[in-house]
Amino acid sequence: MARRKKIYEGKAKILYEGPEPGTFVQYFKDDATAYNAEKRDVIEGKGVLNNRLSEFFMLGLNHIGVPTHFIKRINMREQLIRSAEIIPLEVIVRNYAAGSMAKRLGLEEGTALPRPIVEFCYKDDALGDPLVSEEHIIAFGWASQQDMDDMIALALRVNDFMSGLMYGVGIKLVDFKIEIGRVWEGDYQRLIVADEISPDSCRLWDIKTGQKLDKDVFRRDLGNLTDAYTEVARRLGVMPANATQMTKPTLIN
Ligand code: TMP
């Protein structure tokens, strides 16, 4: 088979030209980076887990009518996705204070927020993805007022879906980041969830013990990252330890 044309290589994924116009193949690497790539490593198996987990979350979102770029998984590391024009923002939803918000506002990590808070960061590695306001976003033309309303609604629907899913398996969704893209249907544009949803882009804490099951394990040197992601996958019934059969979600009492 002819080698696919590489479109873009990011820190954790590679995008290749897809088999049909309007599609890409998204390849999940094992590379892990943190603190704007100052800390980096290769974590064997991470790409396989994130491919499976992102498939699981995006398929679920598609089923409840939240549009995503996901079409189908191709193999252990690749999925077919719809091409979209990515809005240059990281859309973050927070349910509990953690990470940069805890630091910025002097809040203790784990403090419950009065309601889910949506934040936007401008995607620019050289600037360290700075937090921006709606004013910046509209003034600089990164998104319109209508896009802002649609992005917030989309992000909150993803939050409800993901929080419920995680709660069912004994995990607290502390916060997460999504990227949103535009697709055109005739003259109309629609916003869809793009990129990935995985423990790389969420904070996931065990409800009972508070154990971290996300990329903070790598960022903060808390143990084995693959073990943490495998535990999330196992609880969701996405990929059992032996990876040969699918199981049902495990209800945690
Ligand atoms: P933060 O507390 O570091 O701002 O991160 C908030 C959430 O966004 C957390 O779940 C991790 C995720 N995130 C990414 O996925 N990519 C990033 O580049 C950053 C800064 C955060």
Side-chain angles (χ1 to χ4, degrees):
M1 197 178 85
R3 251 183 96 75
R4 291 197 195 98
K5 187 173 160 207
K6 192 191 280 190
I7 305 289
Y8 172 79
E9 178 155 4
K11 290 184 281 245
K13 295 185 296 297
I14 306 173
L15 273 190
Y16 295 100
E17 200 172 66
E20 286 159 33
T23 64
F24 288 135
V25 172
Q26 181 165 251
Y27 176 97
F28 287 76
K29 301 195 281 186
D30 279 343
D31 302 40
T33 62
Y35 310 117
N36 210 1
E38 273 173 37
K39 181 178 166 75
R40 54 172 72 227
D41 204 350
V42 176
I43 313 282
E44 204 184 324
K46 180 174 85 81
V48 172
L49 283 155
N50 281 353
N51 185 27
R52 288 278 187 154
L53 283 164
S54 201
E55 171 194 21
F56 181 74
F57 300 134
M58 296 268 185
L59 267 183
L61 286 167
N62 287 347
H63 277 301
I64 63 160
V66 177
T68 80
H69 72 168
F70 183 82
I71 302 173
K72 66 171 187 181
R73 188 168 57 79
I74 301 170
N75 56 41
M76 296 286 273
R77 287 191 183 268
E78 293 180 320
Q79 47 184 243
L80 184 67
I81 59 167
R82 208 170 155 183
S83 64
E85 182 190 315
I86 299 292
I87 295 175
L89 298 168
E90 298 199 329
V91 182
I92 295 170
V93 182
R94 299 179 187 272
N95 299 305
Y96 298 85
S100 69
M101 178 199 238
K103 206 167 163 189
R104 193 183 331 122
L105 301 180
L107 295 168
E108 191 181 337
E109 286 212 311
T111 308
L113 299 172
R115 62 178 174 83
I117 294 178
V118 183
E119 292 179 347
F120 297 91
C121 293
Y122 179 53
K123 265 169 68 72
D124 185 319
D125 282 343
L127 299 175
D129 300 338
L131 185 70
V132 290
S133 73
E134 185 169 326
E135 285 284 288
H136 299 102
I137 295 167
I138 293 170
F140 290 118
W142 298 324
S144 66
Q145 184 66 61
Q146 181 64 54
D147 290 336
M148 287 300 301
D149 297 344
D150 293 348
M151 283 194 293
I152 292 170
L154 204 54
L156 291 175
R157 287 194 74 193
V158 173
N159 186 44
D160 283 347
F161 173 77
M162 290 291 294
S163 295
L165 198 58
M166 290 301 174
Y167 180 72
V169 295
I171 295 173
K172 185 191 273 189
L173 178 66
V174 173
D175 58 30
F176 66 93
K177 182 255 332 184
I178 52 170
E179 296 189 19
I180 293 176
R182 291 177 217 282
V183 290
W184 296 90
E185 276 151 18
D187 288 341
Y188 295 97
Q189 79 145 42
R190 208 153 69 106
L191 298 186
I192 64 172
V193 179
D195 190 51
E196 72 176 287
I197 303 179
S198 74
D200 266 11
S201 53
C202 301
R203 279 199 176 89
L204 305 170
W205 296 357
D206 181 85
I207 289 178
K208 276 192 191 147
T209 65
Q211 185 192 356
K212 295 186 195 331
L213 299 169
D214 57 64
K215 203 165 116 181
D216 274 348
V217 171
F218 168 72
R219 292 189 191 97
R220 304 180 187 188
D221 293 319
L222 299 176
N224 185 303
L225 193 71
T226 313
D227 287 352
Y229 289 19
T230 302
E231 175 62 12
V232 175
R234 188 193 65 76
R235 288 197 197 182
L236 290 167
V238 173
M239 203 164 74
N242 63 13
T244 54
Q245 64 189 98
M246 300 286 275
T247 59
K248 292 214 164 65
T250 313
L251 187 65
I252 305 290
N253 297 311

